[in-house]
Amino acid sequence: MAHKVTFLNRVSGSVASFFLRHQLLLSLVCAVGVFVLGLFTYWFIVFSGFFVSVQTIYAGF
């Protein structure tokens, strides 16, 4: 049982050190993901508004 606990501690320590080492990389990836998601949402809103306006123009004629 104690062996299992030390193994878990070692694994969690290595994971923590990995996260600390690659914190900049992870934050960069998160920032890029948020940026891409925001850009996609913006273009989706723009295109849906464009299609709605085109449909409204066609409905008016």
Side-chain angles (χ1 to χ4, degrees):
M1 193 65 197
H3 177 71
K4 200 179 215 176
V5 169
T6 53
F7 175 72
L8 282 172
N9 279 347
R10 195 176 298 151
V11 166
S12 61
S14 62
V15 166
S17 66
F18 172 81
F19 273 109
L20 284 170
R21 206 172 296 137
H22 299 281
Q23 198 170 15
L24 189 68
L25 186 73
L26 285 167
S27 58
L28 193 70
V29 165
C30 285
V32 167
V34 167
F35 177 72
V36 167
L37 198 68
L39 208 65
F40 180 75
T41 308
Y42 171 76
W43 280 115
F44 178 75
I45 289 165
V46 165
F47 275 118
S48 60
F50 174 73
F51 282 129
V52 165
S53 61
V54 165
Q55 282 176 348
T56 309
I57 288 163
Y58 276 126
F61 282 130

